[in-house]
Amino acid sequence: MNKPIVISVDAMGGDNSPKKIIDGIELYQQKNINIFYKLFGDKNLIEKSLKNKKIDNQSYEIIHTDDYVKDEDSALAAAKRGKNTSMWLSIESVKNKTSDIVLSAGNTGALFVIAKLNLKMIENIDKPALSGLWPNKIGMNIVLDLGANIECNEKNLKDFCIMGAALHKSLYPNETSKVALLNIGSEEIKGNNVIKNTYQELSKFNSPLFEFKGYVEGNNIMCGDVNVIIADGFTGNIALKTAEGTANFITSELKKALTG
Amino acid sequence: MNKPIVISVDAMGGDNSPKKIIDGIELYQQKNINIFYKLFGDKNLIEKSLKNKKIDNQSYEIIHTDDYVKDEDSALAAAKRGKNTSMWLSIESVKNKTSDIVLSAGNTGALFVIAKLNLKMIENIDKPALSGLWPNKIGMNIVLDLGANIECNEKNLKDFCIMGAALHKSLYPNETSKVALLNIGSEEIKGNNVIKNTYQELSKFNSPLFEFKGYVEGNNIMCGDVNVIIADGFTGNIALKTAEGTANFITSELKKALTG
C-alpha cells in the first residue's frame, strides 16, 4: 500500500463541531481508503463524537488542545488567540510537513489570515482566493474569488485564472478547462477597466492549462460553455449569494405551492 | 372624466414589434381606462397589428415615421440615425409636453442616450439608472442600478436610494420604503470604500421618503426585509443575471426530472 495521505483537520471549526466534522470523516471514509486523519481539538469532545462511528481507530490520531477560534472572532482576534488554537495547529502541521492537507469548516477570515501567516504563497501568486464548485448543465464550474479579495487588479485576476484552471484540472483531469471572466456583457467593450485589461492580457496568454473563452454573463454561469469562472471577490460573492437566495426562494415557493 | 394620461409609445422597439407592443396595449386597456396612446412608427405595420384588436379607435393616434433604431445599433449609432426615429420622436413628445410618459421596448443603450439628450435630468441627480421589479417573499423589490452605470460614487448611490424609494412609493403608496445597499456582508466594515462611505452618509440622512436599513446580502434580496435595493450598475447587473440564470437552471432541471 502507498504511503497514506495525511489530512490535518481542525475538528473544532464551525457550527456543531466536532460532531459534524467526525460525521463527515465517517462518510468520506466509506469510499476513500489510505487516508490518515490528524484531528486537532478538544480530546474529550472528539472522542465522544467518535463513539459508535465506523471509523478505523488506526486511521486517526487526536492532538489535544483547549483553544479554538470562535466564529464571531475577527481574523485579527483569531490570530491573536495564539499558536495553540486547533486551527493554528492544524495549519502549522502542513507547514511542518507532518501533514499534506489542512481542512477547516471554521471562521473563513481567520483561516485565511492564519494560513497566510504560516504557509507561504506559491511563487508569483500575490493573493489567495476563495473558490467553490458551482453546478452547470453538464458538470461543475470552479468559481473564484468568492469573497477573499474585495478589490483585484489585472495580475490578481490572471492569477485566479491559473489557480482555478489548476484546481479544475486536478478535480476533472479528463476535461478541458475553459476559463471566462464574469462580466455584464459578452462584447469586448463591456465592463470596467480592470476586466477589459485582463481580457486583453488573457487573449495574448497561451497557457497549456486552459482555453480562454472571454466573458461570461451571470445568466450563463450554469450553461456549461465554460467551467472556470473568474471574478474579483466582491462580484463573485454577490453572484454566489444571489444564486443561493434565488434557489432558496424558488424551493420554498415550490414547497408552499405543492403543500397547498 | 379627468384629462387622460397620454403615453408615447415607440411602437417599433424590440423583437416582434409592433405586434407585441399592440398586444401589450390591448392587454393593458382591459383594466386601465382614460389613457391615450401616441403610437410612433410604421403606420402600415401598426395598422396591420391593430386589426381585430379590442382597442377603442378613439384611444390612440398613429404618428408615422419610416426610421427606427435597430437592436444592434450602438447607442451612438442610434442617436446618429437622427430625429425621425420612432424612439426619438416618442421621447421628444414628452419633452414637448404633448405626452406624459414614454415607453419603449427597444435598444436600452439608445433609449438612455436619446432620452438624456432630449429630457433634462432632475435637478441634483447626476446619472440615470436602470431599475426593475424583483419579487421577494411578501411583495416586490425595486432594484437599481441594473446596468446603466458601471462605476458609481457615493453621490450616485445616494441618488439611486432617493430615486428607488420614490418609484417604490409611487407603485406601492401604502408600503414603507426600506432601502438597503447590496453588499457582501451585513457588518458595517464590509465592502469597498464607496459602499462604506455611502452607508455612513445614509445613516446620517433623514429622509421622509424611506427608512435606511443598512446592507443586504445577495442571499437576502428576496427575504422581504427590505424592498428598495441599491447597487452600482455592474454589481446590480451581475446579481440580476445570476438570479435569472439560476431560476432558468432550476426550472429546466425540474422539467427534465418531471418528464423523465
Side-chain angles (χ1 to χ4, degrees):
Chain A
M1 199 138 113
N2 293 330
K3 201 171 146 276
I5 295 173
V6 182
I7 304 183
S8 274
V9 181
D10 168 17
M12 309 307 284
D15 300 334
N16 283 325
S17 63
K19 186 187 172 301
K20 75 161 176 197
I21 310 292
I22 306 300
D23 287 354
I25 290 175
E26 185 186 34
L27 208 62
Y28 191 69
Q29 246 214 176
Q30 293 168 8
K31 292 193 185 170
N32 301 276
I33 52 163
N34 208 22
I35 292 177
F36 186 83
Y37 302 91
K38 283 175 176 279
L39 307 175
F40 294 82
D42 186 310
K43 196 170 172 153
N44 280 335
L45 292 176
I46 295 173
E47 278 177 345
K48 220 171 113 189
S49 295
L50 279 164
K51 238 176 229 167
N52 304 321
K53 290 281 164 198
K54 289 179 199 136
I55 303 180
D56 173 6
N57 64 11
Q58 297 298 306
S59 73
Y60 65 85
E61 70 173 301
I62 300 171
I63 298 100
H64 175 79
T65 180
D66 287 324
D67 296 350
Y68 61 98
V69 169
K70 298 199 168 43
D71 282 352
E72 62 276 16
D73 281 350
S74 72
L76 201 67
K80 282 189 180 161
R81 285 192 185 273
K83 304 187 175 183
N84 281 317
T85 60
S86 57
M87 190 185 278
W88 189 295
L89 290 170
S90 60
I91 292 171
E92 200 175 47
S93 164
V94 173
K95 181 185 173 187
N96 297 339
K97 297 194 198 308
T98 55
S99 59
D100 303 302
I101 298 168
V102 52
L103 291 184
S104 174
N107 184 320
T108 313
L111 190 66
F112 257 68
V113 168
I114 297 175
K116 236 189 141 179
L117 283 171
N118 275 286
L119 310 169
K120 282 182 197 158
M121 295 292 295
I122 295 175
E123 211 185 324
N124 287 328
I125 301 286
D126 299 333
K127 287 183 174 182
L130 280 172
S131 73
L133 292 171
W134 189 321
N136 66 42
K137 277 183 187 158
I138 54 173
M140 277 288 174
N141 296 318
I142 304 285
V143 185
L144 69 163
D145 176 16
L146 294 175
N149 310 284
I150 306 288
E151 287 176 67
C152 293
N153 62 25
E154 291 83 349
K155 168 73 164 61
N156 303 140
L157 293 181
K158 194 177 160 192
D159 288 352
F160 296 167
C161 291
I162 298 167
M163 292 149 73
L167 178 57
H168 183 261
K169 209 76 203 163
S170 75
L171 290 174
Y172 311 106
N174 300 324
E175 286 182 34
T176 305
S177 303
K178 297 174 193 166
V179 172
L181 301 167
L182 183 59
N183 198 1
I184 61 168
S186 51
E187 308 89 347
E188 253 184 77
I189 53 151
K190 288 285 178 88
N192 58 38
N193 285 336
V194 172
I195 288 193
K196 285 190 274 190
N197 294 338
T198 309
Y199 181 104
Q200 294 303 330
E201 281 268 320
L202 288 166
S203 301
K204 290 177 287 182
F205 180 69
N206 278 316
S207 169
L209 200 58
F210 63 86
E211 287 175 15
F212 177 58
K213 293 291 189 185
Y215 296 134
V216 62
E217 291 187 78
N219 50 337
N220 292 327
I221 290 175
M222 302 170 99
C223 284
D225 300 336
V226 298
N227 48 33
V228 180
I229 295 170
I230 307 302
D232 64 75
F234 187 89
T235 307
N237 190 281
I238 294 281
L240 178 74
K241 289 191 175 158
T242 303
E244 187 191 320
T246 307
N248 286 343
F249 180 79
I250 296 176
T251 318
S252 76
E253 290 295 309
L254 207 59
K255 274 188 194 149
K256 237 193 285 174
L258 291 175
T259 56
Chain B
M1 199 139 117
N2 293 330
K3 206 172 145 272
I5 294 173
V6 182
I7 304 183
S8 275
V9 181
D10 168 16
M12 309 308 283
D15 300 335
N16 283 325
S17 63
K19 185 187 173 301
K20 74 161 176 197
I21 309 291
I22 305 301
D23 287 353
I25 289 174
E26 184 185 35
L27 209 62
Y28 190 69
Q29 247 216 175
Q30 293 169 8
K31 292 194 185 168
N32 300 276
I33 51 163
N34 209 23
I35 292 177
F36 187 83
Y37 303 90
K38 284 176 176 277
L39 308 175
F40 294 83
D42 185 310
K43 195 171 173 154
N44 280 335
L45 293 176
I46 295 172
E47 278 177 345
K48 219 170 113 190
S49 296
L50 278 164
K51 239 176 228 164
N52 304 320
K53 289 281 165 199
K54 289 178 200 140
I55 302 180
D56 173 7
N57 64 11
Q58 296 298 306
S59 73
Y60 64 86
E61 70 173 302
I62 300 171
I63 298 100
H64 175 79
T65 179
D66 287 323
D67 296 350
Y68 61 97
V69 168
K70 296 198 171 45
D71 282 352
E72 62 276 16
D73 281 350
S74 72
L76 201 67
K80 281 188 180 162
R81 286 192 186 273
K83 304 188 175 183
N84 281 316
T85 60
S86 57
M87 190 185 278
W88 189 294
L89 290 171
S90 60
I91 292 171
E92 199 175 47
S93 165
V94 172
K95 181 184 173 188
N96 297 339
K97 297 195 195 311
T98 54
S99 59
D100 303 300
I101 298 168
V102 53
L103 290 183
S104 174
N107 184 319
T108 312
L111 190 65
F112 256 68
V113 167
I114 297 174
K116 233 186 143 181
L117 283 171
N118 275 285
L119 309 169
K120 283 183 195 157
M121 296 292 295
I122 294 175
E123 211 186 322
N124 286 327
I125 301 286
D126 299 333
K127 288 183 173 183
L130 279 172
S131 73
L133 291 172
W134 189 320
N136 66 41
K137 277 183 188 161
I138 54 172
M140 277 288 174
N141 295 318
I142 303 285
V143 185
L144 69 162
D145 175 16
L146 294 175
N149 311 284
I150 306 288
E151 286 175 68
C152 293
N153 62 25
E154 291 83 350
K155 168 73 164 62
N156 302 141
L157 293 182
K158 193 176 160 193
D159 288 351
F160 296 168
C161 291
I162 298 167
M163 292 150 72
L167 179 56
H168 183 261
K169 210 74 204 163
S170 75
L171 290 174
Y172 311 107
N174 300 324
E175 286 182 33
T176 306
S177 303
K178 297 174 193 165
V179 171
L181 301 168
L182 183 58
N183 198 1
I184 62 168
S186 51
E187 307 89 347
E188 254 186 75
I189 54 151
K190 288 286 178 87
N192 59 38
N193 285 335
V194 173
I195 287 193
K196 285 189 273 190
N197 294 339
T198 310
Y199 181 104
Q200 293 303 330
E201 282 268 320
L202 287 166
S203 301
K204 290 177 287 183
F205 181 68
N206 278 316
S207 169
L209 201 58
F210 63 85
E211 288 175 14
F212 177 57
K213 294 290 190 182
Y215 295 134
V216 62
E217 291 187 78
N219 51 336
N220 292 327
I221 291 175
M222 302 168 101
C223 284
D225 300 334
V226 297
N227 47 32
V228 179
I229 295 171
I230 307 302
D232 64 75
F234 188 89
T235 308
N237 190 281
I238 294 281
L240 177 75
K241 289 191 175 156
T242 304
E244 187 191 320
T246 307
N248 285 343
F249 179 79
I250 296 176
T251 317
S252 78
E253 291 295 309
L254 206 60
K255 274 188 194 151
K256 237 193 289 173
L258 292 175
T259 57

